[in-house]
Amino acid sequence: MTTTPAAETVRTAAALALGDDALVLSHRLGEWAGHAPVLEEEVALANIALDLLGQARVLLSTAGDEDELAFLREERAFRNCQLVEQPNGDFAHTIARQLFFSTYQHLLHDRLASGDGPFAPLAGKAVKEAAYHRDHAEQWTLRLGDGTDESHGRTQRAVDALWRYTGELFQPVEGLDEVDWAGLERTWLELVTDVLGRATLTVPEGPRTGAWSAGAGRQGLHTEPFGRMIAEMQHLHRSHPGATW
Amino acid sequence: MTEQLQEHFDATISRDQRIEPRDWMPDGYRKTLIRQIAQHAHSEIIGMQPEGEWITRAPSLRRKAILFAKVQDEAGHGLYLYSAAETLGADRADLTNRLIEGRQKYSSIFNYPTLSFADVGVIGWFVDGAAICNQVPLCRSSYGPYARAMVRICKEESFHQRQGYELLMTMMRGTEAQREMVQDAVNRWWWPSLMMFGPPDDASPNSAQSMAWKIKRHSNDELRRRFVDMTVPQAEKLGVTLPDPELRWNAERGHHDFGTPDWDELMRVIKGDGPCNDQRMERRRSAHEEGAWVREAATVHAAKQAARERKGAVA
């Protein structure tokens, strides 16, 4: 396949959007190490984080050097959606974030895997991982939503708080032309509404536009907690320019 | 009756056969094993903390993936070991409470802080290396479930050890600052690693009984010597010095001579007065307490589901 320079740029931008989502969410899940409510969740959260990190490495490598891209870009150059950079909060916040993202990622990779675009091979592998992540998030949403009064309340608050970041997931990403974004959003809403309903939770009514406007994260406009996150992520790499690890 | 059971037990041990969960065993054997396996499990869980510190700061994505996988393995090892302890009639929740209340111990080594990324490599090399010296003989421990857990755990530990050593090799080939980090980490972790084998034989009151029961197969000093003999050539190959002026090869004995660890320090650390004891325990306690509502939700949800299924079955 021959690609024009412009097509290459578009492809790189798409790889960064998908890769940064996976990289940033993986990092957030890494913050749970040693803090999870049960040992089984230490294993599960690390497992999901490792899957996402694996995806990020493949995607960033198609766009350049994975370490340069992860450790030497400034905040404004990251293309992840704002949802994945949101702090872990309590376990309910982490699960709500996982539910929204994994459902989206599963649908998206399913679509990409069945197309003939450049991301089809990666998506073919990632879709299996995302199916597992989605199942994990759904099971926990049911347990927490339909558990105790406390867990119900915490989970409803988490769903409400993160809802505003979900619109961005469906802003078209340039280079992923085979995706019907509006159709993806409809299916996502149906699936999430179904899970929240079964978990006795209410689907929020608030806006889904993000901190600036929907699509801001993909333009490099992030929320405040993100800067602190990448400061921690990058500090050691940046302290030793040119070193090999 | 008890005499016959005791004789049968003794004969099984002397034939080097395994004791299994349903077999009769002396109370002391059961209690010693529960204590040892639980403390081993606790060590895996507390041991996630010093390395987990560096997951969010790992300097390359490859190292981050390796570290994630290792910390995940440790959680898995904790799970196998708690299961092995449960075959003796212990209860995981109760063992967790004993840890949190300070009634059961974990390995002294995890009370030392990880101050640089080289510590991650040195933990792999020394701490996992020492664990392997300790645990490989436990694959032949007289209690079947423990021995079988060890087989699986040792495979993963030796993988971690190689990865740790490989990180240090890479850093030693790198910049001056990286080499200094490695040497500094070696200096800080060497003696605490030797202390992982426990007090010297003449001050280890439970060892004789554990060896007679073939729970332990070698004495603390014997394992410590083996570790030193194994590690010295690796240090030479790496190009670091071990911080012990008395360390030298003794051709007559066919082993290395080495200095005496600071046993007072070991006693202080075991009694709770090491650099990170409070912080490790507090972290474990807060994770447990902050997770209580999650565990409770899971229990209540499971009960609701079961009730709904019963109702569905009736209707």
Side-chain angles (χ1 to χ4, degrees):
Chain A
M1 195 172 81
T2 56
T3 47
T4 62
E8 194 58 46
T9 310
V10 166
R11 184 181 154 181
T12 298
L16 285 182
L18 298 179
D20 287 349
D21 280 356
L23 178 72
V24 170
L25 186 54
S26 166
H27 185 94
R28 283 295 188 208
L29 292 174
E31 295 171 353
W32 271 104
H35 289 284
V38 284
L39 289 181
E40 285 79 355
E41 283 307 296
E42 294 283 0
V43 178
L45 296 174
N47 210 330
I48 295 168
L50 263 171
D51 286 344
L52 292 168
L53 184 54
Q55 293 167 15
R57 294 182 66 191
V58 173
L59 285 158
L60 295 184
S61 297
T62 69
D65 177 87
E66 60 175 29
D67 287 336
E68 252 176 59
L69 287 167
F71 296 104
L72 297 176
R73 270 183 301 162
E74 302 275 333
E75 189 183 342
R76 287 283 278 113
F78 276 84
R79 293 290 176 260
N80 56 283
C81 60
Q82 293 179 345
L83 175 68
V84 294
E85 75 201 30
Q86 295 312 305
N88 288 335
D90 65 6
F91 191 68
H93 278 75
T94 291
I95 290 299
R97 192 181 61 198
Q98 284 305 119
L99 176 73
F100 294 161
F101 184 77
S102 301
T103 306
Y104 155 78
Q105 208 200 21
H106 187 222
L107 294 172
L108 178 63
H109 284 315
D110 188 48
R111 182 70 204 89
L112 294 175
S114 62
D116 57 1
F119 299 108
L122 166 98
K125 183 166 180 284
V127 71
K128 295 182 197 128
E129 295 168 346
Y132 159 73
H133 304 167
R134 189 179 141 193
D135 182 54
H136 173 264
E138 287 188 6
Q139 296 299 325
W140 271 112
T141 304
L142 295 178
R143 285 187 202 112
L144 299 179
D146 186 26
T148 62
D149 286 346
E150 183 183 7
S151 69
H152 178 91
R154 282 177 183 260
T155 310
Q156 187 66 56
R157 282 194 292 281
V159 165
D160 291 346
L162 293 169
W163 190 247
R164 65 180 303 174
Y165 300 106
T166 59
E168 182 172 20
L169 301 173
F170 307 100
Q171 293 295 308
V173 174
E174 206 187 354
L176 304 181
D177 305 323
E178 64 265 60
V179 179
D180 163 17
W181 295 95
L184 202 69
E185 182 164 21
R186 276 194 304 278
T187 311
W188 182 91
L189 264 174
E190 279 167 24
L191 292 170
V192 167
T193 300
D194 173 63
V195 176
L196 294 181
R198 284 189 288 132
T200 73
L201 296 162
T202 309
V203 178
E205 286 173 1
R208 297 173 54 219
T209 50
W212 298 74
S213 61
R218 299 269 186 247
Q219 313 297 321
L221 290 166
H222 293 282
T223 55
E224 283 177 348
F226 184 58
R228 197 178 293 274
M229 192 207 97
I230 66 166
E232 183 175 342
M233 182 171 96
Q234 296 182 338
H235 110 266
L236 179 57
H237 185 97
R238 283 183 182 272
S239 302
H240 297 268
T244 305
W245 300 91
Chain B
M1 183 65 189
T2 309
E3 266 170 44
Q4 273 177 345
L5 291 168
Q6 180 75 48
E7 269 171 36
H8 180 72
F9 173 85
D10 292 341
T12 307
I13 297 284
S14 68
R15 280 197 308 269
D16 256 340
Q17 284 178 337
R18 295 272 167 80
I19 305 295
E20 294 297 338
R22 291 178 184 195
D23 295 342
W24 184 88
M25 60 189 88
D27 267 355
Y29 179 87
R30 186 184 297 276
K31 280 186 188 139
T32 298
L33 267 172
I34 290 177
R35 196 192 67 233
Q36 184 177 337
I37 299 173
Q39 294 186 358
H40 195 158
H42 299 334
S43 301
E44 296 283 355
I45 300 311
I46 298 287
M48 294 167 68
Q49 290 184 34
E51 292 172 286
E53 275 297 310
W54 286 91
I55 288 179
T56 53
R57 289 177 288 169
S60 75
L61 295 186
R62 176 167 167 263
R63 292 296 170 196
K64 189 169 181 161
I66 288 172
L67 195 50
F68 248 135
K70 181 177 181 191
V71 172
Q72 186 193 23
D73 281 348
E74 282 160 1
H77 295 172
L79 285 169
Y80 305 155
L81 287 162
Y82 284 123
S83 298
E86 287 191 324
T87 65
L88 291 158
D91 171 67
R92 180 172 133 192
D94 173 56
L95 297 177
T96 301
N97 284 330
R98 284 169 189 264
L99 169 66
I100 287 170
E101 290 161 12
R103 289 187 286 140
Q104 281 184 338
K105 310 268 186 229
Y106 54 88
S107 178
S108 57
I109 194 79
F110 300 120
N111 293 309
Y112 291 86
T114 45
L115 303 178
S116 83
F117 197 68
D119 290 37
V120 168
V122 170
I123 288 175
W125 177 31
F126 285 170
V127 177
D128 293 297
I132 292 164
C133 284
N134 257 327
Q135 291 172 7
V136 166
L138 293 177
C139 297
R140 294 186 295 119
S141 172
S142 61
Y143 188 59
Y146 191 31
R148 288 188 289 274
M150 280 303 115
V151 172
R152 251 181 105 171
I153 290 173
C154 283
K155 278 184 196 155
E156 292 178 346
E157 297 283 17
S158 52
F159 187 59
H160 299 156
Q161 197 215 5
R162 279 201 299 277
Q163 284 176 324
Y165 191 71
E166 188 257 336
L167 166 61
L168 299 178
M169 269 292 182
T170 307
M171 290 181 71
M172 288 303 285
R173 284 193 218 104
T175 65
E176 187 54 38
Q178 285 179 300
R179 278 190 290 279
E180 278 170 20
M181 281 166 97
V182 174
Q183 184 62 58
D184 176 59
V186 166
N187 293 348
R188 285 182 288 107
W189 288 90
W190 174 247
W191 291 109
S193 300
L194 290 190
M195 293 178 199
M196 276 180 77
F197 296 94
D201 290 349
D202 53 18
S204 179
N206 301 322
S207 281
Q209 180 62 73
S210 283
M211 285 173 71
W213 275 329
K214 295 186 184 170
I215 294 174
K216 269 180 81 156
R217 312 287 311 213
H218 305 283
S219 79
N220 295 351
D221 287 334
E222 206 178 329
L223 292 167
R224 192 167 9 248
R225 199 161 52 232
R226 199 176 282 193
F227 173 74
V228 173
D229 286 340
M230 179 182 91
T231 309
V232 170
Q234 294 170 344
E236 282 165 11
K237 197 171 160 217
L238 195 58
V240 295
T241 55
L242 297 170
D244 178 0
E246 294 174 48
L247 182 67
R248 63 181 60 84
W249 176 249
N250 182 327
E252 220 168 285
R253 291 196 307 116
H255 291 292
H256 290 85
D257 291 332
F258 53 96
T260 308
D262 181 348
W263 299 124
D264 291 340
E265 177 178 315
L266 176 64
M267 286 305 132
R268 277 200 309 279
V269 174
I270 288 176
K271 290 195 173 117
D273 191 24
C276 299
N277 297 58
D278 290 347
Q279 149 191 350
R280 301 288 185 242
M281 290 291 281
E282 178 48 34
R283 170 88 170 267
R284 187 72 197 92
R285 189 182 306 117
S286 69
H288 188 71
E289 284 169 7
E290 284 162 22
W293 69 271
V294 177
R295 295 189 299 275
E296 198 187 332
T299 307
V300 169
H301 179 74
K304 283 184 186 175
Q305 281 292 87
R308 280 194 282 261
E309 275 161 29
R310 276 197 302 276
K311 211 171 155 194
V314 172

